[in-house]
Amino acid sequence: MSSRDIILGRVRRALGDAPRGDAQASYETAVDRGYRREHGSRTTEETVDLLAENLADYRAIVHRCQDEEELPYLIMRLLAARGPRYVLVPPGLPPEWMSAADPTRVHDRAVSTTHDLDAVGSVVTGCAVAVAETGTIVLDGSPDQGRRRITLIPDHHICVVRVPDQVVSSVPQALERLDPRRPLTWISGPSATSDIELDRVEGVHGPRTLEVVLVSGE
Amino acid sequence: MSGTFVGMPAFPKAAHEAVGNTTLRANLKHATHTIRDKRAKAVAELDDWALLREAGKQIKDHTLRHLDTYLVQLEEAVTAAGGTVHWAADADEANRIVTRLVKETGESEVVKVKSMATQEIGLNEALEAEGIHAYETDLAELIVQLGHDRPSHILVPAIHRNRGEIRDIFTKEMGAWGRPAPEGLTDTPAELAEAARLHLREKFLRAKVGISGANFMVAETGTLVVVESEGNGRMCLTLPETLISVVGIEKIVPTWRDLEVFLQTLPRSSTAERMNPYTSMWTGTSDSDGPQAFHLVLIDNGRTDTLADEVGRQALRCIRCSACLNVCPVYERAGGHAYGSVYPGPIGAILSPQLRGTASEIDASLPYASSLCGACYEVCPVAIDIPEVLVHLRERVVQGGPATRQGNKVVLKPAKGHAAERAAMRTAGWAFVHPGALRAGQRLASRTRRFHPRTLPGPGRAWSATRDLPQVPAESFRDWWQRTHGTKESGK
Ligand code: SF4
């Protein structure tokens, strides 16, 4: 007998005492979903403000940008302040965003090895959705976000969030919008550890600086 | 269950020694109180906490009740998404499977994300015996590994070490494992973290094989979820060519939507954050993003035996948040090592003796590692009634009775050599022997807090005799909730 059969057999014997019936059918009624879809009631503007507040609370640096015209200049300034030699861009990042940037652009596919990637200072991406109540941005590997590794190894990540379109209030609302078949990365503030005497230290392995640009729609 | 702490003294003895270690006690006290207070605030932000908790409990109970169906569904979904599923009945089999998978890649090094399941089966040791080095990449696990030590807390495994000790460990040991610690390393947390970053980065960038656990597996979609803070998880999950995830069969949730409950309750219960810094979710393999080979090893290793116990099976709901450790007056004094298992604290006291059986002295003593104050039940985000299971297991140790071991029904004999426990049971009177009466009695105990003992019951008395237990709040959360919100929770 395979271990698969052994384990499934043990499960069935273990549950001998329980009336069971069809799993999927009983699932509908098994769980009381009386909990909230979002916490509190807010205007769209207030939701965006809450996102900004919670991002900042988790030590992300938040910038506001009134329109897409201004965005390239803001990105230019943010990069200039850090002075990386190379900046990584995913294949589908709107080219205008980088039109004013100084550092040499490297494309996702060009960094073939992890060591190549380690030489890159900054990365600029879009996002799939942002969650206001938790201060979280979610990346789903779409062309404007690139592969998971590119937002992990460089020390500085600039993430552009289109507000209010890409902002939801809560975790339940975010899951509704996401496709589980894509690889997903949820990011709440920069990498952090509290392993040494519970003192919080930013940036153990992931980017030590996370800058989030909230850009208002056209 | 192999890979356990062979030769561990029983809990009262180990605890007695731990209590004498002042560094450990001070660190633990600071840690548990800090996390405890922050957690209460994070939880208070969600006014539907009680409903989320109840939903989490119901989702897990439903899943356990149909575990066979969901395991098969998960297997299909993972396979359809390009992964390969393996089944392991016990620790040895799981270790053999993982060792074979690593060998097939031709590699002799793997990077690991902190995972209790792989600690439970003793994977690192098994790999080492076959000439494969497993590098722990979580900062705390690195400290533990370099210090030739064992973890003492689920969430902050190196909490028993202070910064000076960590600096010494890094300076002395890092060189033997790879990049040495920088010259003149001081003991500031920022410098220590930087040393770990440089040491581990070298390993991440060349790693070909990653090994992880998972916090959740979604049966409907085949998605695995890992929740972490540092980014070492993301490194291990996305940079290697091959990813092997070793996961207990109880970690399933039926649907994608179910994550909405646990992604709200887990971070807040665990690190007291609205959300942990990083959560990774992957479904099989993706074109050119992340590992191109994905293996899921599903382990039983005592879980089906636990499932067979009608009272004890609720322990399988555990999402390993560690909230119960941080409120436990016994854990706070004894520390994680005293529990002789990778699962310390209140959850360890009920999980280990079920996964491993109660044959050894340490396992037989674990159900006594509690004052039954009920604080663990009150914080548990999936409402595991830990005191109820503790008492059930005490009864099992003292009286013997029917149980399931490796899928077979057995009748346990009363444990030998537990005179202390038997005496404790006698003084506790008939209530312990009558489970029905017991529940009422136990609730009564938590409601008559004025009369709460100032020392621990049973064998714990020896080491608590000279120490005061913390005050139990005058009114339990559950009582407060019932008083202010009516009878919503009275089902339990
Ligand atoms: S038993 Fe409950 S409180 Fe303890 S670790 Fe598990 S889920 Fe958390």
Side-chain angles (χ1 to χ4, degrees), chain B residues 231-255:
Chain B
N232 65 305
R234 293 177 65 192
M235 292 270 185
C236 296
L237 299 169
T238 57
L239 298 184
E241 291 161 6
T242 301
L243 172 62
I244 305 167
S245 299
V246 182
V247 191
I249 53 172
E250 82 284 16
K251 293 278 178 106
I252 299 196
V253 297
T255 70

Side-chain angles (χ1 to χ4, degrees), chain B residues 143 146-147 161 165-174:
Chain B
I143 297 168
L146 291 177
R161 296 288 195 184
E165 292 177 305
I166 295 170
R167 199 243 350 244
D168 296 345
I169 291 171
F170 280 10
T171 309
K172 190 158 152 270
E173 302 284 344
M174 266 183 177

Side-chain angles (χ1 to χ4, degrees), chain B residues 2-24:
Chain B
S2 75
T4 53
F5 305 156
V6 186
M8 269 303 287
F11 182 85
K13 182 155 184 294
H16 183 80
E17 282 159 18
V19 167
N21 177 340
T22 46
T23 305
L24 173 73

Side-chain angles (χ1 to χ4, degrees), chain B residues 154 266 269 315 317-325 346-347 350 376-377 379-384 386:
Chain B
I154 297 179
L266 176 57
S269 295
R317 294 205 295 259
C318 176
I319 57 173
R320 315 274 190 263
C321 71
S322 74
C324 57
L325 277 61
I347 182 62
I350 62 168
C376 49
Y377 169 69
V379 294
C380 178
V382 285
I384 299 172
I386 295 176

